[in-house]
Amino acid sequence: MPLLPVDWDQPWLNPWRESGQRVAQAVAAGAPLHDALNGELAAPLRFVSQSALPPGEAYESYIFNKAQCPTREGLHDFFNGLCWMRFPQTKTRLNQLQAAEIAAAGVTALRGPVRDALTVFDENAALLSAPQPLWDALIARDWQRLFIDLRPLWPQARLVLFGHALLEKLVCPRKPITAHVYRAQEAIDSIANLDAWLAADLSADKLAAKPFTPLPVLGVPGWWAENENFSFYDDSLVFRPRR
């Protein structure tokens, strides 16, 4: 099944271009998505068809036990595969934490705070390294200060997307798309260093506290032409005040 076209020139997708284009071209040539992902030889596991997942077995437990990732056709698992390549240590850590929670409590209708937070991170996280005034304004959800008054500080910030559902949504960008931001305490000087730091930083206790803050990503200066007109931020349905 062909993938929807991806505009790799968009600033949030451009960092994923190199592997993403090769995988998408392989799929367009007729390869199943899992085979196209395996052709990159960059992930710490193998990708397999979704049919390899035994009925009744938890997806995360299967990955942990088999070092194989069941993969469905489509952009969602396409970006999940790319994330395994780009952040191998962090994805491995998230899987370890998920598997430990499942081993301790089983698979129930209520996943609990740790598994909920792990899922949010895996699907929708972004990492932000930014000067303290930007971070303070983001925590306060003071959008006027964050995006207009402090706009000259944004060249000193770096936002890196992680969540594969977030990336999938941004293939068709819409103003309300919002990331769950996790603060990168160190400067993001390389993805490999960020991956190593993040994998070491994540823990069940820290994630259970839900250390995220919402950020409508198309508000980031330089990411979306429409936000050059500052009335873009007047939309209270998107840029909501803190409760």
Side-chain angles (χ1 to χ4, degrees), residues 4-5 14 21 36 40 59 80 85 88 105 115 133 147 155 172 218 233:
L4 289 174
N14 187 266
Q21 281 188 323
E40 289 296 295
Y59 168 82
N80 186 47
M85 299 175 202
R115 289 197 66 208
F147 289 126
C172 300
L218 295 184
Y233 301 107

Side-chain angles (χ1 to χ4, degrees), residues 88-163:
Q89 295 184 61
T90 301
K91 288 288 285 186
T92 298
R93 177 61 174 157
L94 292 173
N95 178 246
Q96 290 169 345
L97 291 169
Q98 285 273 20
E101 291 295 311
I102 292 170
V107 178
T108 62
L110 295 176
R111 291 181 298 191
V114 176
R115 289 197 66 208
D116 278 345
L118 284 163
T119 300
V120 167
F121 193 101
D122 197 29
E123 298 277 351
N124 209 57
L127 297 312
L128 178 65
S129 173
Q132 189 64 42
L134 287 180
W135 189 256
D136 291 343
L138 175 60
I139 293 295
R141 301 184 198 176
D142 186 343
W143 308 112
Q144 168 81 27
R145 179 164 172 77
L146 177 66
F147 289 126
I148 300 175
D149 299 346
L150 297 177
R151 204 171 185 87
L153 283 183
W154 272 96
Q156 301 175 39
R158 187 170 182 197
L159 181 69
V160 175
L161 304 190
F162 178 92

Side-chain angles (χ1 to χ4, degrees), residues 27-43:
V27 171
L33 178 56
H34 63 276
D35 285 344
L37 291 165
N38 287 330
E40 289 296 295
L41 301 175

Side-chain angles (χ1 to χ4, degrees), residues 61 70 73 82 98 113 120 153 157 161 193 200 227:
S61 297
E73 301 297 318
L82 295 185
Q98 285 273 20
V120 167
L153 283 183
L161 304 190
N193 288 343
N227 74 40

Side-chain angles (χ1 to χ4, degrees), residues 18 39 49 56 58 119 121 154 159 166 184 205-206 222 238:
E18 188 174 350
S49 169
T119 300
F121 193 101
W154 272 96
L159 181 69
L166 177 62
D205 288 344
K206 180 172 284 190
V238 175

